[in-house]
Amino acid sequence: MTQGVLLYCFDTEKVRYHGIMDRCISLIKKNLGLDITVVTNKTTLSSWSNIENCNTVVIEQEIGNRRDSQDWYNLDRCHAYDISPYNTTLLLDIDYFCYTDNLLQYMRSDCDFLITSRVHDLTDRGLYNFSENSVIPMVWATVIIFKKTAKAKNIFDMVKYVKANYQHFCELYRIDFKNFRNDYAFAIALNQIDADVGQNLIPATLCTLPADTDVLEFHDRGFDFRINDKIGQVRDQDAHILNKEIANV
């Protein structure tokens, strides 16, 4: 049975996402030891020099979604099941950094599909309580594990359907965020397909560093950050870092 990591990476005019991905890949290789496949476009591939020991799938990414007045290339994740060459796939955001091997235990589980649902704000400001923004609990598509099974395929097929009818589902579930988010698309798909959504949730918390927090320095086992006049550090803990300026750190 093959196992591997699937990453999506598309540079924009504002952000060199491949620079962020380089750090993500180095940590995957060091701490997970898994094969890696990168889904990207020709423009990003031409700028990315560290492609050794990675498989690449070149596509023309779907456009049309925006966030904070910038292009947001997040519309292709629903095709991950079709693209992945692995029997068991770890689908990660490129700004998720694996400083441990914790995710390997979930890849060995018998579950067809797993996704993160709990999040912890590393600055202790509680920024990620979205319970008032919809009538459906949001999941986090930052970390997804799936197998090549009929159930997993049904979930991804439903995500495609949700994406095609996203505004309808936003009204149905009273979702405040009207631009397409994979987090809500997967939450809706699971709700539509599986009455027991809990069995699809990774029993771990997604440690997240908010976008307004500066990363001062990266280390082999973690990083240092600053928020206002406070300095913090993270060591031996997987983390989702949302400040895109980390491409320049």
Side-chain angles (χ1 to χ4, degrees), residues 3 34 60 62 79 102 116 140 166 169 182 187 193 214 222:
Q3 295 186 340
L34 294 172
E60 185 174 338
E62 187 174 346
H79 302 294
N102 289 343
T116 45
W140 289 80
Y166 192 66
F169 283 105
N182 282 295
I193 287 176
D214 296 322

Side-chain angles (χ1 to χ4, degrees), residues 13-235:
E13 291 184 4
K14 299 286 187 179
V15 182
R16 294 171 50 255
Y17 281 99
H18 71 273
I20 300 173
M21 182 175 63
D22 281 342
R23 192 177 303 277
C24 174
I25 287 174
S26 68
L27 289 168
I28 291 170
K29 290 180 177 179
K30 175 184 176 183
N31 295 316
L32 300 183
L34 294 172
D35 193 63
I36 301 170
T37 295
V38 176
V39 183
T40 188
N41 57 20
K42 291 181 180 179
T43 301
T44 305
L45 188 63
S46 67
S47 302
W48 180 37
S49 58
N50 298 322
I51 62 175
E52 297 87 356
N53 301 318
C54 284
N55 311 299
T56 55
V57 177
V58 178
I59 66 171
E60 185 174 338
Q61 84 278 7
E62 187 174 346
I63 62 175
N65 205 23
R66 295 178 68 81
R67 178 177 62 180
D68 299 329
S69 301
Q70 297 183 30
D71 290 327
W72 190 15
Y73 299 141
N74 71 329
L75 299 174
D76 296 286
R77 184 163 291 218
C78 60
H79 302 294
Y81 182 93
D82 307 309
I83 289 177
S84 175
Y86 309 115
N87 296 114
T88 301
T89 301
L90 173 59
L91 175 60
L92 287 180
D93 279 4
I94 59 170
D95 54 5
Y96 188 81
F97 297 146
C98 297
Y99 285 102
T100 75
D101 64 356
N102 289 343
L103 290 177
L104 292 178
Q105 62 184 312
Y106 304 117
M107 294 190 72
R108 292 191 291 265
S109 79
D110 294 329
C111 296
D112 297 284
F113 182 93
L114 290 169
I115 192 168
T116 45
S117 65
R118 295 181 298 176
V119 63
H120 169 63
D121 176 1
L122 287 168
T123 65
D124 291 324
R125 291 178 290 163
L127 295 183
Y128 300 108
N129 180 9
F130 297 137
S131 60
E132 301 298 321
N133 298 106
S134 70
V135 297
I136 185 174
M138 194 183 81
V139 296
W140 289 80
T142 306
V143 179
I144 296 174
I145 297 169
F146 65 90
K147 301 184 186 301
K148 281 295 182 79
T149 63
K151 178 179 178 179
K153 184 179 187 303
N154 286 341
I155 292 170
F156 278 94
D157 286 345
M158 179 57 71
V159 173
K160 295 175 187 176
Y161 180 79
V162 170
K163 187 182 81 168
N165 301 277
Y166 192 66
Q167 294 309 312
H168 163 73
F169 283 105
C170 280
E171 295 296 326
L172 180 65
Y173 290 101
R174 303 177 194 173
I175 297 171
D176 289 342
F177 302 99
K178 302 305 181 184
N179 56 334
F180 179 79
R181 289 190 63 165
N182 282 295
D183 306 314
Y184 279 115
F186 278 95
I188 293 167
L190 288 170
N191 185 264
Q192 291 283 314
I193 287 176
D194 199 335
D196 186 9
V197 175
Q199 67 180 336
N200 301 115
L201 303 181
I202 294 174
T205 301
L206 188 71
C207 291
T208 301
L209 194 71
D212 65 351
T213 307
D214 296 322
V215 175
L216 302 177
E217 187 176 2
F218 282 103
H219 305 277
D220 288 342
R221 294 170 48 202
F223 54 91
D224 302 332
F225 66 88
R226 178 178 59 214
I227 177 67
N228 299 323
D229 60 345
K230 297 180 180 179
I231 304 295
Q233 63 176 216
V234 174
R235 297 290 187 272

